[in-house]
Amino acid sequence: MHPALLVDEILQLIFEISLDDEKSSLCRAARCCKAWKDPALDRIWRRLPSAIPLLSLLPGCSVEKGTIHLNHLVQAEKCGVFRLYAVRVKHIVHHHSVLGDLPAHLSYPLDNLGTSRIESRSIGDVVLHMSLSSRLRAFVLHIGYTKSDSASTSMHMILSRLKKCSALERLSVRGHSSTCLQTPLGALATLHSLSLHLSSLTEQTFMAVSALPLLGDLDIHADRLSLDNLAVAISEHCDSTAFFPSLQKLRIRAEPGLLELLCRYLPQDKLHSLHIDSTAPSLPSAWAAPFRAIATVASELHYFTIEHSIIVSESEDTPTYPIDKFFTIDHFRPLSKLPLRRFVLDSWLPPDFSDADIEEMTKWWPLLNRLDLGALTALENTEASWKPRISLASLSTLAKGCKGLQSLVIALDADGALAVPQPVPQGSHPLASLFISSRSRPDTSSLSAMLLKIFPSLIEVTPGFVGDHADAWQVVQSTFSSSAA
């Protein structure tokens, strides 16, 4: 054997790469020699997609129709093989029901467990005991949204047990909940990251989350909270306790009024990333006050995303959209002083911008590396007669004004010629992905070449909605692929 294969760092790297081979190579390596046995077995058993491989090592264990059956009377001396492999498990996923109990001498068998995931509504003591450890850093609980009192009770019970996991930093909870989780969540003072998507969220639960001292990353569905009740709760809470004292990254499903309320109490200049999921339809004008509040409290915001839908009358076979349902440059002007690196407008309709608006935006946010102006198919949702006021000239404007832009989603009028910006920008522009929607037929003879001249790093040009001109855009794509090769 080559001496290099006995160097631990080299061996670990080789075995890590071997994980891509469905573990068959590692199984052979474990049987090859004593020096490789333990490192290979550590890799094989480190991540378990199910508890079945491990529990099958217990005498009397069987699996029938997706349910694991255990014999709790197994003697300790017959569990040696189970212990040998259990100590190697660092990550496990539970999605099977378990009937029976673990032997009493195996109360919490996975001492080295770092992350665990439960995707089962049938959560008993076995699943729970095989999901927790003193070294647990991340825990995921997804039990589904079907109404069930037992599932809601199980969620509360499991979260209550997590307070014993003193190393826990990341938690994700999804599913039906009809109980207040104020007490179990409020006890998790070590959390750095929390994702909370519940069928019902109480004001008390929300306030318990807001007091977590180390919470820096929050993803929460708060669209069912009462704005009036939450306003009272926050006002009373903030008299004595800090409100999200460490929050830097927020993803929230909420209405405009609730977001404006939160911004009044968030700590100044700590928020760096904000993703708003506005699932309930609203007019763009409803976001004027929240945008002003965001600009006031988050002057260091770098990443901003808003998912937005509009009200469409079900009685209209072909809905029409008055101008007040389109975002305009004026709606985003309150955000113009923010040092944004990413601006994503994932809206049902494309914004009603002009070339002059794009030029103004490049002066607001010259450091943008990603710019999405509407969803990929937003143009498809407009009337056939509606044409974007943005022209191909805005691509040159963006190349000149946003020199770090790497990804762009835009709906524009592709009719006409694309000119190279003057003066020609120094260096190679980094734009790699360009998604274009247009109702106009592009110039198939020159568009690809001009795009590459302006954006020499461009890897893909992807048409979004292109109306009746799919054939022409296919030619543009084909020509671009040939030129870029």
Side-chain angles (χ1 to χ4, degrees):
M1 182 186 300
H2 195 285
L5 295 178
L6 295 177
V7 177
D8 185 65
E9 290 80 2
I10 296 176
L11 194 61
Q12 296 289 352
L13 179 60
I14 293 173
F15 286 169
E16 189 70 30
I17 297 172
S18 299
L19 281 173
D20 298 334
D21 192 23
E22 298 183 351
K23 298 184 179 181
S24 58
S25 297
L26 289 173
C27 291
R28 290 192 292 269
R31 296 191 294 266
C32 180
C33 66
K34 290 183 179 180
W36 289 6
K37 178 182 177 181
D38 285 333
L41 288 177
D42 286 343
R43 284 291 189 280
I44 293 170
W45 287 88
R46 185 174 61 182
R47 301 181 65 86
L48 292 185
S50 161
I52 290 178
L54 186 60
L55 290 177
S56 296
L57 299 176
L58 291 173
C61 174
S62 62
V63 181
E64 298 178 9
K65 297 180 179 180
T67 299
I68 304 172
H69 298 261
L70 296 178
N71 176 11
H72 71 283
L73 298 177
V74 178
Q75 297 175 350
E77 57 268 20
K78 294 184 179 181
C79 297
V81 176
F82 175 88
R83 289 196 184 93
L84 178 66
Y85 292 102
V87 74
R88 304 178 191 273
V89 178
K90 303 293 180 65
H91 171 83
I92 193 167
V93 179
H94 296 282
H95 44 78
H96 295 92
S97 299
V98 180
L99 295 180
D101 296 310
L102 288 170
H105 50 83
L106 293 176
S107 56
Y108 286 91
L110 306 184
D111 294 335
N112 293 317
L113 194 64
T115 62
S116 62
R117 184 183 187 100
I118 297 178
E119 296 179 346
S120 171
R121 299 181 63 83
S122 302
I123 304 168
D125 285 342
V126 174
V127 171
L128 184 58
H129 288 185
M130 293 187 64
S131 299
L132 306 180
S133 81
S134 60
R135 293 182 172 88
L136 193 70
R137 300 185 312 279
F139 183 72
V140 176
L141 176 62
H142 293 180
I143 63 172
Y145 291 93
T146 304
K147 289 185 178 180
S148 168
D149 290 340
S150 61
S152 185
T153 301
S154 294
M155 177 184 289
H156 190 284
M157 179 267 295
I158 292 172
L159 295 178
S160 298
R161 297 283 188 93
L162 289 178
K163 65 183 178 181
K164 297 181 179 180
C165 302
S166 58
L168 188 66
E169 295 182 351
R170 302 188 304 278
L171 173 64
S172 176
V173 184
R174 282 163 171 68
H176 172 73
S177 174
S178 58
T179 59
C180 178
L181 301 176
Q182 175 185 12
T183 300
L185 288 178
L188 304 180
T190 59
L191 279 186
H192 290 244
S193 174
L194 172 63
S195 179
L196 199 60
H197 295 184
L198 303 177
S199 61
S200 177
L201 179 68
T202 67
E203 288 78 22
Q204 293 82 2
T205 299
F206 186 88
M207 297 313 301
V209 170
S210 76
L212 295 175
L214 303 179
L215 188 65
D217 184 351
L218 175 64
D219 176 2
I220 191 167
H221 286 183
D223 50 323
R224 298 191 179 185
L225 287 175
S226 164
L227 179 59
D228 292 337
N229 292 344
L230 185 62
V232 172
I234 293 178
S235 178
E236 295 175 349
H237 168 93
C238 289
D239 288 340
S240 58
T241 308
F243 187 69
F244 292 112
S246 302
L247 192 63
Q248 296 184 353
K249 184 178 181 181
L250 174 62
R251 177 168 184 155
I252 185 168
R253 176 179 291 180
E255 300 315 304
L258 192 141
L259 186 66
E260 181 188 3
L261 172 66
L262 297 185
C263 288
R264 288 189 219 148
Y265 294 92
L266 287 176
Q268 192 72 27
D269 301 334
K270 282 203 171 183
L271 200 63
H272 290 169
S273 176
L274 176 60
H275 186 130
I276 305 168
D277 180 1
S278 176
T279 54
S282 61
L283 291 175
S285 57
W287 290 95
F291 286 172
R292 288 194 297 269
I294 290 168
T296 299
V297 75
S299 63
E300 296 300 319
L301 193 69
H302 291 163
Y303 308 104
F304 179 77
T305 297
I306 179 169
E307 298 179 40
H308 181 264
S309 58
I310 62 169
I311 302 172
V312 179
S313 174
E314 295 182 359
S315 63
E316 298 180 75
D317 294 330
T318 305
T320 58
Y321 303 110
I323 193 63
D324 65 348
K325 292 189 178 180
F326 289 83
F327 276 105
T328 68
I329 195 70
D330 290 334
H331 290 120
F332 298 108
R333 193 162 274 114
L335 307 177
S336 62
K337 301 299 182 182
L338 300 180
L340 293 185
R341 267 71 166 173
R342 179 183 302 164
F343 178 81
V344 177
L345 175 61
D346 187 359
S347 56
W348 176 260
L349 296 175
D352 187 26
F353 287 179
S354 67
D355 288 339
D357 296 335
I358 295 296
E359 184 172 9
E360 182 177 0
M361 183 176 287
T362 63
K363 295 175 181 176
W364 295 351
W365 307 318
L367 300 180
L368 283 177
N369 56 50
R370 177 179 174 182
L371 176 61
D372 289 18
L373 297 178
L376 294 178
T377 58
L379 187 60
E380 185 177 5
N381 301 321
T382 63
E383 303 166 64
S385 60
W386 190 87
K387 182 181 288 188
R389 294 189 295 133
I390 300 174
S391 72
L392 287 171
S394 282
L395 296 181
S396 297
T397 300
L398 287 166
K400 184 177 179 180
C402 297
K403 296 180 174 60
L405 193 64
Q406 299 175 23
S407 175
L408 174 62
V409 176
I410 193 168
L412 47 70
D413 181 1
D415 189 23
L418 176 59
V420 177
Q422 298 296 332
V424 177
Q426 297 297 314
S428 176
H429 196 283
L431 189 76
S433 298
L434 176 60
F435 300 84
I436 297 182
S437 293
S438 179
R439 281 199 167 93
S440 305
R441 185 179 183 84
D443 184 345
T444 57
S445 63
S446 64
L447 182 57
S448 296
M450 295 305 294
L451 284 175
L452 278 173
K453 187 170 291 188
I454 297 174
F455 304 118
S457 301
L458 200 58
I459 297 174
E460 57 179 347
V461 177
T462 306
F465 175 73
V466 293
D468 299 326
H469 304 297
D471 55 340
W473 281 100
Q474 189 172 1
V475 172
V476 170
Q477 275 190 298
S478 178
T479 305
F480 172 81
S481 299
S482 301
S483 302

